[in-house]
Amino acid sequence: DGEHVYATFGSQGLYCYDLAGSLKWKSDLGDMRIKLGFGEGSSPAIYGDQIVVNWDHEGQSFLVALDKKTGKVNWKVDRDEMTSWATPLIVEGNGSGQVITSATRSVRSYDLKTGKMIWEHSFNVFHTDIPRARAGWASPVVDAETGNVYAHGIQGMFFCFDRDGEILLSRSLTETLGRISGYGGRTHTPIIDEDQVIISFMNSGFGAQGRGAHRFLSMNKHTGELQWWSSPAGPPQDTTYAVPVVAVVNGERLLIAAAGDGAVYAMRV
C-alpha cells in the first residue's frame, strides 16, 4: 500500500512488514487443509483500511476482513466452498465497496463494510476434465470504466456481471470456440484493455484452428463480439495460468504473455 508489505502464507499466518522489513503485526487465521497439498491460500486484497483474505479449503471455508494497521479482525463470514486460489476483487458500487469472489461453485459479492453477501451466481461444472480438487483458479476482474465484473468458470462459461449481479453477457467458450479446460484446472484470468476483454486458453476448432494450440482471444467488453484471435505459440507442452499484461513498448501497445510452449510472446492489441 506504499507504506507496508502484506503477505499470507496460509496456515503459517498473515504478516505485515514496514518497508524496512520490520514486522508490524501477524495474524493466525487457522490451519488450512488443501486438497492434494497443492499449496495454501490466495493473495490478499487491500482497500482503504482493510485487507481481505479468501480462505477456501477442505474445512470450513470463510472470507475475512482485517484492519490493515493492526491485524484485528473486522468481520468474518463462512463460505460453502472447497479449495480455491482465486484472489478477492474489491470494487466500488451501490454506495459502498463490494468484495467479489470466484470459486468452484459460485461467483459472489459481499459488502466490504459488514461481510454480508449481496448477490450470488452459482454454476454447474460440465465439459471439463478438471478434477474436483483443483477447480478454483481464475480470479474475477473489474472494468474501471463501467464497474462490470468479468469471470471465467472452469466449465468454460464466460460471464459479465453488473454491480448488482445481473448477467450482461455470457458465452460458452467450450461449446462455441472449442476451449479445452486445461490440465489440473489451469483456467486463465481475463484482463481488460480499453474497450476489449482478453482471455486465453487451449482450443481446437475448425479450419485454421483445427490444430490444438494455446490461443489468445479479444472480445468487445460491451457486446462480447469477437474482435481478434492470436496463435503465436508452437505446440503446447503444458497449460499455463499466467495473467498477461499490456504495455506500450517503443510506441506500440502490446499484450505480453507466457504460452503453453514455454515461451513469452508480445502481440499487438
Side-chain angles (χ1 to χ4, degrees):
D1 66 355
E3 297 179 353
H4 297 91
V5 175
Y6 304 88
T8 178
F9 299 97
S11 300
Q12 305 306 311
L14 172 66
Y15 294 80
C16 171
Y17 295 90
D18 64 22
L19 299 186
S22 298
L23 179 66
K24 306 303 292 183
W25 56 262
K26 62 180 180 180
S27 178
D28 182 358
L29 297 176
D31 293 327
M32 298 192 88
R33 292 191 287 111
I34 299 298
K35 196 72 173 180
L36 302 181
F38 284 116
E40 297 186 355
S42 65
S43 300
I46 296 174
Y47 185 90
D49 289 331
Q50 296 203 98
I51 179 168
V52 180
V53 177
N54 191 24
W55 192 276
D56 287 346
H57 68 138
E58 297 307 298
Q60 178 59 66
S61 297
F62 58 85
L63 185 71
V64 61
L66 305 94
D67 186 308
K68 73 173 188 179
K69 296 179 181 178
T70 66
K72 179 183 177 181
V73 173
N74 291 334
W75 54 259
K76 177 181 175 183
V77 292
D78 290 343
R79 286 164 51 79
D80 180 20
E81 280 292 351
M82 60 189 74
T83 300
S84 75
W85 295 268
T87 300
L89 172 70
I90 300 178
V91 301
E92 294 180 343
N94 297 327
S96 65
Q98 296 183 41
V99 183
I100 311 293
T101 63
S102 178
T104 302
R105 299 189 177 109
S106 298
V107 178
R108 299 180 180 91
S109 169
Y110 300 85
D111 187 279
L112 178 62
K113 292 181 180 178
T114 65
K116 181 181 178 181
M117 190 164 67
I118 300 172
W119 57 262
E120 176 181 16
H121 178 75
S122 298
F123 41 73
N124 292 323
V125 178
F126 58 93
H127 288 316
T128 179
D129 60 353
I130 293 175
R132 173 186 176 277
R134 311 189 199 180
W137 291 66
S139 300
V141 63
V142 66
D143 175 27
E145 178 188 6
T146 63
N148 295 333
V149 174
Y150 298 82
H152 179 200
I154 61 172
Q155 75 289 73
M157 289 301 299
F158 182 78
F159 295 102
C160 174
F161 303 96
D162 68 11
R163 291 185 178 94
D164 298 318
E166 295 295 322
I167 298 175
L168 303 179
L169 296 171
S170 68
R171 186 183 195 115
S172 176
L173 303 176
T174 301
E175 294 176 298
T176 63
L177 301 176
R179 168 195 174 271
I180 301 169
S181 57
Y183 172 76
R186 297 173 188 172
T187 47
H188 293 78
T189 297
I191 67 168
I192 306 294
D193 180 57
E194 297 181 335
D195 284 336
Q196 59 186 333
V197 55
I198 301 171
I199 194 167
S200 72
F201 46 80
M202 300 281 189
N203 88 314
S204 178
F206 297 96
Q209 294 192 10
R211 175 181 64 87
H214 184 178
R215 295 184 169 91
F216 298 83
L217 166 66
S218 167
M219 294 178 281
N220 183 287
K221 71 179 184 182
H222 302 290
T223 66
E225 179 182 1
L226 301 183
Q227 297 192 143
W228 53 258
W229 283 93
S230 182
S231 307
Q237 302 300 310
D238 203 343
T239 52
T240 73
Y241 47 97
V243 181
V245 297
V246 173
V248 177
V249 180
N250 295 328
E252 285 193 294
R253 195 171 185 83
L254 302 175
L255 177 75
I256 302 172
D261 63 350
V264 177
Y265 295 88
M267 296 151 273
R268 294 186 180 92
V269 294

